[in-house]
Amino acid sequence: MNPIVVIGAGPMGLCSVRRLAEQGLPVIGLEAHNNVGGLWDIDSPTSTMYESAHLISSKRMTEFSDFPMADEVASYPRHDQMRQYFRDYAEHFQLYQHYRFNSHVERIEPTADKQWLVHYRDAQQQHQQLVASHVLLANGTLHHPNKVAFKGEFHGQMLHSSDYRSADIFAGKRVLIVGCGNSGCDIAVDAVHRAASVDMSVRRGYYFLPKFVAGKPIDTLGGKIKLPRALKQRLDGLLIRLLSGKPSHYGLPDPDYKMYESHPVVNTLFLHHIGHGDIKVRPDIRQLTPSGADFVDGQQADYDLILQATGYQLHYPFIAAEHLNWQGHAPQLYLNIFSPRHANLFVMGMVEASGLGWQGRDEQAQLVAAVIRLQQDNPSAAQSFFDKVQQHANQRIDGGMNYLQLERMAYYVHKESYLKALATERQALASMADNRSNR
């Protein structure tokens, strides 16, 4: 059997390599940087991390369940603490031996015998290639910036949040931040301490959550009593309004959708600074001007720097989109993992859900490892699974949620429904394996 190739050494790639190795499968990890950590290694050329970044979810809701973070680490760890956590994880599970670092994947193409030819560039910039029996894409979803092409022309400095590292760039400048997601709000809070002025252009409403309630991380509260989805949405929305007030009280647009139908902003300080006048809310940009921007409300303002916090696009530049069954904003895959075009191609970590954490990704990895093991041990049973993949690739695990029709929500799932679906498939595969071993 040719080796299985995993692309990426972030948390998704690491747990994928671990679970494959546990199944006794030959695995090679390819990583463009010189160490593990992926996005969380600010020194990686593919990282979009910034110096002030912390986890948005709390450590206990994010960590691998069988590899908890140290008690002395804060509830919302810094990026460097996360990097060390992943290095410790790789060391503990002996994953370094499986990786080829400084290996930049350039192209993946199917072979005549239905395997994969992987082309990559090594540390000496030499072209290398290997034949893989299976390929797992775990290169992350937050690397390729979604840059907006505005009307007009701005003669000042234009950046994307992917370019941002330190608040030093704001010193003494008139700053406009475009976008009010988690990164945009983080960066706005950074900017108020250095900039001459900070404006934020906000197109739509968001739910704003504080990081702590009664001294506890907000995502650790509740959950002991399982409520119907619609009731939980309504009650949690009312709770957030009691805690923070309506966004319109701060001059922000109110959300026109229910709680959890889009990712909330988790930031304790953003509304604080708006309430103190440190951040001025602006509507959508009508067009840029040489000195700043015109807004849809007829107002105009001058800026020295405009920073787009407009998110990221899914990006798998080394493989043709057809292999991923790409439709619209994202690949259409069974359980956000399995391609109906190829039984030996898997997209890892292309999933978002409130509270899914790294453990949810690890459960993806365990399922994929079980599928590949079954392909080796019981091809006919594995073919039955692939038949299901082909039949249900367009089925979204949304739990009845009416998620917003946005590009960044295209691969969002309902946590409980998704984890249940993963568990159900793993149990079915285990049953198939047991039946074969008992023959």
Side-chain angles (χ1 to χ4, degrees):
M1 178 182 178
N2 283 321
I4 301 164
V5 168
V6 176
I7 299 172
M12 187 72 253
L14 291 174
C15 65
S16 296
V17 168
R18 173 193 171 188
R19 297 308 183 179
L20 292 167
E22 286 177 348
Q23 291 280 0
L25 297 163
V27 56
I28 293 173
L30 298 177
E31 166 56 41
H33 190 39
N34 60 16
N35 209 323
V36 305
L39 176 77
W40 292 97
D41 187 343
I42 198 170
D43 297 322
S44 170
T46 62
S47 175
T48 54
M49 197 58 58
Y50 42 93
E51 290 181 2
S52 63
H54 289 67
L55 266 181
I56 293 171
S57 54
S58 68
K59 67 179 183 181
R60 295 299 178 224
M61 297 299 292
T62 310
E63 65 195 3
F64 294 109
S65 62
D66 59 357
F67 195 77
M69 297 186 205
D71 290 340
E72 58 268 24
V73 173
S75 295
Y76 295 94
R78 295 188 313 271
H79 62 87
D80 57 326
Q81 294 173 309
M82 293 301 302
R83 176 176 64 181
Q84 188 59 51
Y85 172 72
F86 295 124
R87 291 182 178 181
D88 292 343
Y89 180 92
E91 188 72 34
H92 180 79
F93 293 108
Q94 300 180 334
L95 304 180
Y96 278 103
Q97 62 183 314
H98 299 288
Y99 270 96
R100 297 180 185 179
F101 293 103
N102 299 301
S103 298
H104 186 275
V105 176
E106 296 181 318
R107 190 169 76 258
I108 301 170
E109 55 193 2
T111 65
D113 59 350
K114 297 184 179 181
Q115 298 196 80
W116 296 96
L117 185 60
V118 181
H119 302 262
Y120 67 97
R121 191 174 64 251
D122 65 17
Q124 288 73 44
Q125 300 301 305
Q126 298 296 312
H127 175 261
Q128 303 290 344
Q129 64 183 43
L130 58 85
V131 176
S133 63
H134 302 71
V135 172
L136 282 67
L137 310 183
N139 55 300
T141 61
L142 300 175
H143 295 294
H144 190 67
N146 178 36
K147 296 182 179 180
V148 179
F150 294 105
K151 293 181 180 179
E153 184 176 346
F154 175 58
H155 292 171
Q157 187 176 13
M158 176 75 77
L159 298 174
H160 187 271
S161 58
S162 60
D163 305 311
Y164 175 67
R165 288 294 181 274
S166 165
D168 292 346
I169 64 168
F170 298 130
K173 295 179 180 177
R174 298 164 297 176
V175 175
L176 173 65
I177 295 173
V178 181
C180 192
N182 280 288
S183 293
C185 291
D186 277 355
I187 295 170
V189 170
D190 284 354
V192 298
H193 302 290
R194 302 297 304 275
S197 64
V198 180
D199 290 4
M200 176 175 273
S201 173
V202 184
R203 293 176 57 185
R204 63 181 183 84
Y206 292 81
Y207 288 93
F208 294 91
L209 283 61
K211 284 198 163 183
F212 294 92
V213 175
K216 301 289 186 181
I218 192 168
D219 60 358
T220 65
L221 303 177
K224 294 181 179 179
I225 300 175
K226 297 298 182 182
L227 298 174
R229 173 189 52 78
L231 179 59
K232 179 174 174 57
Q233 285 181 279
R234 188 158 55 250
L235 290 179
D236 286 0
L238 289 172
L239 175 61
I240 294 307
R241 182 170 293 183
L242 288 173
L243 288 171
S244 302
K246 294 177 65 175
S248 55
H249 294 162
Y250 298 86
L252 292 156
D254 290 321
D256 57 0
Y257 53 90
K258 296 177 182 178
M259 188 76 178
Y260 305 123
E261 291 179 350
S262 182
H263 197 71
V265 174
V266 185
N267 191 306
T268 301
L269 296 175
F270 178 68
L271 296 180
H272 166 90
H273 282 295
I274 289 184
H276 285 75
D278 300 326
I279 301 169
K280 182 174 182 177
V281 179
R282 296 281 191 175
D284 198 11
I285 293 173
R286 185 176 67 83
Q287 67 176 16
L288 300 177
T289 67
S291 61
D294 289 339
F295 299 97
V296 295
D297 63 353
Q299 299 293 309
Q300 186 275 335
D302 294 337
Y303 301 103
D304 304 300
L305 187 157
I306 297 176
L307 186 143
Q308 295 188 34
T310 46
Y312 297 86
Q313 297 174 323
L314 293 176
H315 195 52
Y316 304 100
F318 38 71
I319 189 168
E322 65 191 60
H323 299 308
L324 301 175
N325 194 37
W326 203 301
Q327 299 175 29
H329 293 313
Q332 298 300 299
L333 309 171
Y334 182 55
L335 297 177
N336 287 39
I337 303 170
F338 301 96
S339 170
R341 305 292 182 91
H342 303 276
N344 57 350
L345 177 65
F346 312 91
V347 179
M348 310 301 295
M350 192 201 78
V351 61
E352 288 293 340
S354 296
L356 191 64
W358 307 131
Q359 184 55 36
R361 275 80 174 176
D362 184 46
E363 292 178 30
Q364 281 192 330
Q366 293 180 56
L367 175 59
V368 169
V371 167
I372 297 176
R373 182 74 269 168
L374 189 69
Q375 289 174 342
Q376 303 305 306
D377 298 342
N378 190 348
S380 61
Q383 181 59 48
S384 295
F385 176 81
F386 186 58
D387 290 343
K388 182 189 294 185
V389 168
Q390 292 180 310
Q391 292 168 13
H392 300 288
N394 293 329
Q395 178 182 331
R396 186 173 185 181
I397 313 297
D398 59 15
M401 285 284 190
N402 185 28
Y403 292 120
L404 296 188
Q405 297 300 306
L406 301 172
E407 184 169 3
R408 69 181 183 86
M409 299 295 295
Y411 48 98
Y412 222 85
V413 300
H414 180 248
K415 173 188 171 182
E416 287 76 15
S417 301
Y418 187 73
L419 293 178
K420 182 179 179 180
L422 292 179
T424 298
E425 291 296 357
R426 286 178 58 200
Q427 291 167 6
L429 293 176
S431 178
M432 291 178 188
D434 289 342
N435 289 339
R436 182 170 178 81
S437 64
N438 290 331
R439 289 178 183 176

